[in-house]
Amino acid sequence: MKRLLKLSVLLIAAAIFSSCFTVNGEAKKRPLAKIDKVSIDSVSLSSITLKIDMSINNPYILSVDINKAIMETYVENERLVYTVNNSPLNIRGGETMKTSFKVKLKWAELDKASTNYMEKDDLTVKIITVVDIKLPDIPGLPETVMLSYTTEKIIPALKPEVSFKNFSLVFPTKEAISKALVKAKKSPLALVRILGLFAGKQNEEAAKDLTDLDLLISLNFDVIIENKSKGKVNIDSIHYNVKYNNISFISGQTDLLLNEGQISKARMGNDFNTRSFHKALISLFDEKKRDFKVEGYAIMIFPPEISKEPVRLNFGKD
């Protein structure tokens, strides 16, 4: 009986010693984080968005929570942006989590903060990232720990503008319309209505006639992308969606561009089938009322020290 009692006492003591050893070991550990990559996420006519990829390691047996991430961005020692990301994140015990944060910089603010911005090809941005981590409830550990890291990123010095010019519509010939009417078994009188519509006379009956015909209307226009600062623009392709009265009219893309210094140009040509015609498009035949809206993006190519991957330049909406 005494031998059994001694064995039990030894087992309990061993468990307590092991627990203390584990707790003391855990108390000496600290989370580790590193910045894996800083890249250009996207560019718009008013701003550039940087993406910061991080790896955060939780060395404990219990999970930890990231309370917030703070990002301070500096250009030539002037702080431009102070961003706080309060989205909660949880890292399970013994695991490493990869996450990312984004920071947006406006071209106008970069221009104001940088000396001779308009004469530069690029500039260096300093980013200070602070991660606030709530630690597990383990004796010897503080309630939270702050991890701070500083990195730099070369970005292009841009002041981009996108314009759309020389819109033109090419309508089917009188002969093509007549053949389409015969094929659709429509009245020849529709020819006069449709020709009048193409001449700018709004006629809902003529618009209804068009939806029964298999005809093509061509839309052509120029896209001009210009960087007002010194940096050269190299556009690889343009992807666009033309809207009229909030209705998607034509979508397309092209890689047939002329890149000359700070300016890239492309002539777009698309066909629109009248079977998909909508009555809200009637006024587009009136040249005085015609107003197209173009949304989309261009793929920009930069030197590898700025970005090894192509970057999207969004236009039409920021």
Side-chain angles (χ1 to χ4, degrees):
M1 182 69 179
K2 288 182 179 180
R3 187 177 295 176
L4 182 61
L5 181 61
K6 286 181 180 180
L7 181 61
S8 298
V9 171
L10 287 172
L11 289 173
I12 293 172
I16 294 173
F17 177 79
S18 176
S19 176
C20 291
F21 179 80
T22 301
V23 169
N24 288 334
E26 291 289 283
K28 293 179 181 179
K29 298 175 181 177
R30 288 295 182 271
L32 295 175
K34 68 172 183 175
I35 296 177
D36 299 318
K37 183 181 180 183
V38 179
S39 58
I40 301 174
D41 182 69
S42 64
V43 171
S44 75
L45 299 181
S46 63
S47 64
I48 180 171
T49 300
L50 302 180
K51 182 183 177 185
I52 304 163
D53 294 321
M54 293 190 72
S55 297
I56 305 173
N57 173 257
N58 174 14
Y60 308 113
I61 57 175
L62 301 176
S63 65
V64 300
D65 294 316
I66 298 178
N67 291 328
K68 60 184 175 182
I70 301 169
M71 282 149 287
E72 295 180 272
T73 308
Y74 292 82
V75 172
E76 296 182 6
N77 296 320
E78 180 174 338
R79 189 173 80 175
L80 291 186
V81 177
Y82 180 85
T83 305
V84 179
N85 188 319
N86 291 308
S87 301
L89 294 172
N90 179 269
I91 308 175
R92 292 187 294 185
E95 293 190 358
T96 297
M97 182 186 71
K98 292 186 177 293
T99 187
S100 61
F101 306 100
K102 293 182 181 181
V103 58
K104 180 182 286 189
L105 304 173
K106 294 185 178 180
W107 299 123
E109 294 174 349
L110 291 167
D111 184 3
K112 186 177 179 181
S114 177
T115 305
N116 298 324
Y117 177 84
M118 297 295 286
E119 298 301 316
K120 294 181 178 179
D121 292 317
D122 54 59
L123 65 156
T124 300
V125 176
K126 182 173 74 173
I127 304 168
I128 300 175
T129 304
V130 179
V131 182
D132 180 8
I133 301 177
K134 182 181 179 182
L135 300 182
D137 187 13
I138 295 176
L141 285 182
E143 186 176 343
T144 62
V145 65
M146 304 279 279
L147 304 178
S148 180
Y149 299 89
T150 300
T151 187
E152 292 185 342
K153 173 63 181 173
I154 300 175
I155 65 172
L158 296 181
K159 197 169 184 180
E161 291 185 0
V162 179
S163 58
F164 310 96
K165 299 180 179 179
N166 303 321
F167 283 91
S168 66
L169 289 172
V170 180
F171 302 115
T173 63
K174 181 178 179 180
E175 292 73 19
I177 299 171
S178 297
K179 288 181 179 179
L181 288 171
V182 172
K183 185 177 180 180
K185 298 180 180 179
K186 299 278 291 184
S187 170
L189 297 177
L191 176 62
V192 177
R193 292 194 296 266
I194 293 172
L195 291 175
L197 181 65
F198 289 165
K201 298 177 182 179
Q202 296 190 26
N203 186 319
E204 290 195 11
E205 189 175 358
K208 175 77 170 57
D209 291 331
L210 280 180
T211 61
D212 296 326
L213 305 181
D214 189 12
L215 293 169
L216 295 178
I217 297 174
S218 296
L219 171 67
N220 304 303
F221 63 97
D222 295 325
V223 179
I224 302 170
I225 301 176
E226 181 177 4
N227 182 26
K228 292 294 185 178
S229 64
K230 184 182 176 182
K232 292 183 178 180
V233 175
N234 185 11
I235 305 297
D236 183 66
S237 62
I238 298 176
H239 307 250
Y240 57 91
N241 179 30
V242 182
K243 288 187 175 181
Y244 189 86
N245 284 348
N246 291 322
I247 295 175
S248 183
F249 181 45
I250 282 176
S251 296
Q253 66 179 69
T254 184
D255 56 5
L256 301 176
L257 294 109
L258 177 63
N259 289 296
E260 292 183 327
Q262 283 92 347
I263 299 177
S264 297
K265 298 179 180 179
R267 180 68 176 170
M268 306 301 184
N270 302 83
D271 291 330
F272 175 76
N273 195 297
T274 57
R275 287 190 182 278
S276 58
F277 190 81
H278 191 282
K279 65 180 181 181
L281 299 174
I282 290 178
S283 60
L284 74 84
F285 299 116
D286 187 342
E287 193 170 347
K288 295 180 180 179
K289 297 181 179 180
R290 193 178 297 162
D291 184 24
F292 296 103
K293 182 179 180 181
V294 184
E295 297 177 349
Y297 62 91
I299 298 297
M300 307 181 77
I301 306 297
F302 293 109
E305 62 269 20
I306 292 179
S307 179
K308 294 180 181 179
E309 297 86 23
V311 176
R312 286 175 59 141
L313 166 63
N314 298 310
F315 54 80
K317 54 184 178 181
D318 199 16

